[in-house]
Amino acid sequence: MKLQLFLKRKSAGYKPKKSAVFTKGNIAKFLNDAPDEIYLATKVVIIMGIAGALRRCEMTNLLTSDCLKGADLLLVSIKNTKN
């Protein structure tokens, strides 16, 4: 009981910081305006994260050998998924 009271007194006035979140407009502006020569890998990760609906572990386990480039498409194989 004393510990709870002590912690409540110590946390008085504490305001947690909110994380910065990108809006749909911010992402669209970045994808359209950022130069591909510098940010191509970042753009691919954003698109795969949004459109691919990948989990964090699936995204980190992707290899370049998992991607096959066709004439007009890019086929990405995702291994070890829960679904």
Side-chain angles (χ1 to χ4, degrees):
M1 190 65 150
K2 287 183 180 183
L3 177 62
Q4 286 179 340
L5 291 173
F6 173 76
L7 291 175
K8 281 185 181 182
R9 275 188 261 128
K10 285 292 185 182
S11 66
Y14 172 74
K15 294 183 182 176
K17 294 181 183 178
K18 285 202 92 166
S19 298
V21 178
F22 289 110
T23 63
K24 189 185 289 188
N26 293 16
I27 292 172
K29 182 178 179 191
F30 175 75
L31 291 175
N32 292 328
D33 297 343
D36 289 343
E37 295 82 22
I38 300 171
Y39 297 107
L40 184 61
T42 306
K43 289 181 176 185
V44 170
V45 169
I46 289 172
I47 292 169
M48 291 295 295
I50 294 172
L54 298 176
R55 291 180 171 84
R56 181 177 34 204
C57 62
E58 295 168 350
M59 178 96 56
T60 57
N61 291 336
L62 278 178
L63 302 172
T64 54
S65 60
D66 295 335
C67 302
L68 298 173
K69 184 180 179 184
D72 58 346
L73 64 101
L74 180 66
L75 181 65
V76 180
S77 300
I78 302 168
K79 300 174 182 169
N80 299 330
T81 65
K82 287 188 176 182
N83 296 333

